[in-house]
Amino acid sequence: MGADGGSQVAEREAYYATLLSRGDRRVSRLLLAIRAAGGDWWRVVQEQRRAARDDGYGSAATAAGAAIIDPDFYVRRAYAVDEILPWDFIDHSLHKRFLWVERTRAYAERQTMPCDVTTCRVCGAC
């Protein structure tokens, strides 16, 4: 496999990991379709993406009861800072606001200096 083929596989795997981590219970229908397709998740994802794009959620497929799940809804959309995410129930002692600021800093390629864990109360973990 060439260099481009390896990066394409990595991108697909990252897409799938993002879908699984950001998805809600509606993604379970997609997982059942992947199982029915013998585990060929990329084919199922591509079919669902095409159906969501081409269907417009108003064609005969939707009228017949076919469940169309747009994977891009979970993978590619921007999330608001106050939006509830699937993993928000996990208590990891870090404030969500702190993580959002860290994300913004990372996009700006700015590093947060290490804190003095005896006095710092910024992130909520200390």
Side-chain angles (χ1 to χ4, degrees):
M1 186 177 325
D4 185 53
S7 66
Q8 186 178 29
V9 169
E11 289 174 18
R12 288 179 180 178
E13 289 174 351
Y15 183 97
Y16 191 50
T18 303
L19 175 63
L20 293 176
S21 67
R22 289 185 171 180
D24 56 20
R25 65 182 160 265
R26 293 172 285 191
V27 174
S28 65
R29 293 191 306 246
L30 190 66
L31 296 176
L32 291 173
I34 291 168
R35 182 171 184 237
D40 189 355
W41 63 269
W42 186 245
R43 181 176 59 84
V44 173
V45 164
Q46 291 296 82
E47 288 171 357
Q48 290 290 311
R49 289 172 76 188
R50 255 190 311 282
R53 182 182 60 241
D54 297 343
D55 185 54
Y57 301 104
S59 76
T62 304
I68 296 175
I69 301 158
D70 184 5
D72 286 343
F73 171 77
Y74 299 101
V75 175
R76 302 202 186 277
R77 74 183 179 92
Y79 288 79
V81 68
D82 59 345
E83 188 167 352
I84 297 173
L85 297 171
W87 52 81
D88 279 347
F89 72 94
I90 300 171
D91 181 11
H92 44 67
S93 300
L94 295 173
H95 299 307
K96 188 173 182 175
R97 190 67 151 162
F98 172 77
L99 294 174
W100 190 266
V101 169
E102 285 298 298
R103 177 180 185 256
T104 304
R105 291 177 65 86
Y107 284 150
E109 298 180 8
R110 293 181 23 218
Q111 184 176 3
T112 300
M113 298 305 297
C115 64
D116 176 4
V117 296
T118 61
T119 60
C120 180
R121 301 290 179 255
V122 175
C123 70
C126 300

